[in-house]
Amino acid sequence: METQEVANRVLPHDTGAEQAFLGALIIDPPALDTAITLLAESDFFDVRHRTIFRAIRRLWEARSAIDTITIANFFKDHGLVKDAGGVEYLNEILDATPTAANVTYYAKIVRDKALLRSLIKAAGEIANTAMRADQDVSSISNYAENLLFEITNRNLTQSYEGIQNIVHASIKIIQDFRNRNGKIGLTTGFSDFDRLTGGLTGGQLIIIAGRPGSGKTAFCLNMASRIAIESKRPILIFSLEMQKEELGVRLLTSEAKVDNSRIKQSLLSQADMNQLIYAADRLYETQIVIDDKPNITVNEIRAKSRRVMSERGDLALIIIDYMQLVDGPEDIPRYDRYNIISDVSRSLKYLAKELNVPVIALSQLSRKIEDRSDRRPMLSDLRESGAIEQDADIVAFIHRNYIYTKDESEKNIAELLIRKHRNGPQGEIPLHFRGECMRFDDGVRRAEE
């Protein structure tokens, strides 16, 4: 369709619905407290209706009586009589309103038409941006996708709720927690972690941090494969450091419990191959999706997460490996690492809440930990930003003393140290680590525990 043809068309609107909504507010003032929040002034197509809605809203905010007389006086006091179509137009609106009972239905019609107009405007902005040659295709594509998403996902619904409904929902959560033996979220396959946290739940930002070589990638891959196999739901992994084929080999060897070095040295036995084939069959039935684009931005992560959710259904988990490699917004200089990581951390928390999906972000630790005699990580060791601690619901550290001491007796000993837990206790979880196949399993608790 030609641009000129679109320009010559009248934009979508419904004059009758706009009139009926405004008339309902005048006829039934008690409905105002609920109905007036359903629409914004910009949702009305007709300038007269925008002016009338503004008057009603201002009177409502001032706790004044609302009828044709008070509205007409408002017009006169503010010089809006002409913009409102004259005082007599108020009577036309009342005559055109069949009933105040359908006010929410009228609001939906008006809102839907406003949405269509916004989409048309956005399409024009996208077209104009695409016509310019001063930006690369990926930037334009991200801009277009984000613009459309913001429009189509505007939430004009009520964001508050009475205590009665909240208590009812809370009791249900408690009952579920009891019925599922303390687990209300996704079970990760690590029993002590699930016991302590209740499993992973939508909206959470979980930080898994550790020094290089501690096994944080392996731990999250183990968690991902177990959740994927158990839940049958999609899991999205953003790997900014390793290629997807490398992750594939890790997933296979971990699931098969096969020594990774035997693959590289061509020493695989038939038993090894049988285990790998069995593991491949198990993983083949999952919905694990891996994106290994380097230098990815949070907006790209957001767009791709929405796309996977749209294509595959209810996402179970998003993993970012690792957050210090995520590109910050263009308006923050690349050398300003503190503000970049702060923005990334905050954006990942928003993503978790927006999609109602748990997001696990891996994080590096600062090197100052190596200067201490006790190298067990603390929250202050999170690299480059205290905002990570602030935004996260759970902060857990992978700790293996072996990487510092090289004591063979500690080679398979690991701990997951939960140092922040917004909705529960902190704790130290023993793990067993098999480095040859990059696999973590539940550890054995010491007798004194």
Side-chain angles (χ1 to χ4, degrees), residues 144-162:
E145 191 161 9
N146 288 325
L147 182 60
L148 291 174
F149 180 80
E150 287 173 7
I151 293 170
T152 56
N153 286 272
R154 271 180 199 153
N155 185 5
L156 298 176
T157 58
Q158 185 170 295
S159 60
Y160 58 84
E161 198 163 6

Side-chain angles (χ1 to χ4, degrees), residues 35-51:
I36 203 165
T37 61
L38 297 176
L39 295 175
E41 187 177 326
S42 59
D43 289 326
F44 294 90
F45 180 76
D46 194 312
V47 174
R48 296 174 299 176
H49 300 158
R50 293 183 186 181
T51 306

Side-chain angles (χ1 to χ4, degrees), residues 249 253 258-268 272 435-438:
V249 171
T253 55
V258 169
D259 188 336
N260 188 54
S261 65
R262 294 173 66 83
I263 296 175
K264 298 176 181 178
Q265 298 173 30
S266 301
L267 296 175
L268 289 177
D272 291 334
E436 70 278 5
C437 60
M438 302 302 289

Side-chain angles (χ1 to χ4, degrees), residues 84-330:
V87 176
E88 62 278 1
Y89 186 59
L90 288 175
N91 294 322
E92 290 183 34
I93 285 177
L94 294 178
D95 291 339
T97 304
T99 175
N102 297 329
V103 64
T104 55
Y105 179 74
Y106 304 144
K108 182 181 184 306
I109 296 173
V110 175
R111 188 169 63 242
D112 287 349
K113 298 299 182 182
L115 175 60
L116 291 176
R117 294 196 300 273
S118 296
L119 287 171
I120 292 169
K121 180 181 178 183
E125 292 176 5
I126 293 168
N128 290 334
T129 303
M131 289 294 289
R132 296 199 303 267
D134 58 345
Q135 297 185 51
D136 59 57
V137 173
S138 61
S139 296
I140 295 172
S141 177
N142 288 334
Y143 166 75
E145 191 161 9
N146 288 325
L147 182 60
L148 291 174
F149 180 80
E150 287 173 7
I151 293 170
T152 56
N153 286 272
R154 271 180 199 153
N155 185 5
L156 298 176
T157 58
Q158 185 170 295
S159 60
Y160 58 84
E161 198 163 6
I163 190 64
Q164 294 78 11
N165 291 338
I166 295 171
V167 167
H168 179 77
S170 300
I171 287 293
K172 185 178 185 305
I173 290 173
I174 293 170
Q175 289 174 332
D176 289 344
F177 200 69
R178 180 187 181 194
N179 295 337
R180 298 182 62 187
N181 297 318
K183 302 179 186 68
I184 58 173
L186 288 169
T187 54
T188 65
F190 294 97
S191 58
D192 285 335
F193 179 85
D194 292 337
R195 174 185 56 79
L196 196 66
T197 64
L200 305 180
T201 57
Q204 284 185 324
L205 174 61
I206 303 102
I207 302 297
I208 304 294
R211 289 295 292 147
S214 60
K216 53 187 180 291
T217 298
F219 178 78
C220 288
L221 287 179
N222 293 166
M223 191 178 284
S225 62
R226 294 171 191 185
I227 292 173
I229 290 170
E230 179 68 25
S231 73
K232 309 298 183 186
R233 292 166 58 193
I235 290 179
L236 179 54
I237 301 173
F238 292 94
S239 177
L240 285 75
E241 189 173 39
M242 298 174 61
Q243 292 184 323
K244 49 182 173 285
E245 292 81 7
E246 293 180 82
L247 291 187
V249 171
R250 280 200 177 198
L251 284 165
L252 281 170
T253 55
S254 173
E255 187 64 26
K257 302 178 184 178
V258 169
D259 188 336
N260 188 54
S261 65
R262 294 173 66 83
I263 296 175
K264 298 176 181 178
Q265 298 173 30
S266 301
L267 296 175
L268 289 177
S269 66
Q270 187 57 49
D272 291 334
M273 284 304 303
N274 290 341
Q275 287 177 261
L276 286 166
I277 291 170
Y278 177 69
D281 287 341
R282 285 170 63 82
L283 289 172
Y284 192 82
E285 295 301 319
T286 68
Q287 294 195 68
I288 296 176
V289 179
I290 300 175
D291 186 305
D292 62 356
K293 181 182 182 295
N295 304 320
I296 198 170
T297 66
V298 172
N299 279 338
E300 288 178 291
I301 290 173
R302 183 179 177 220
K304 291 181 178 183
S305 298
R306 296 197 310 264
R307 190 173 303 161
V308 171
M309 180 176 279
S310 174
E311 293 172 351
R312 293 176 175 259
D314 187 22
L315 266 178
L317 176 65
I318 298 170
I319 296 175
I320 293 96
D321 184 12
Y322 55 92
M323 66 187 306
Q324 279 80 8
L325 291 179
V326 177
D327 274 1
E330 293 182 358

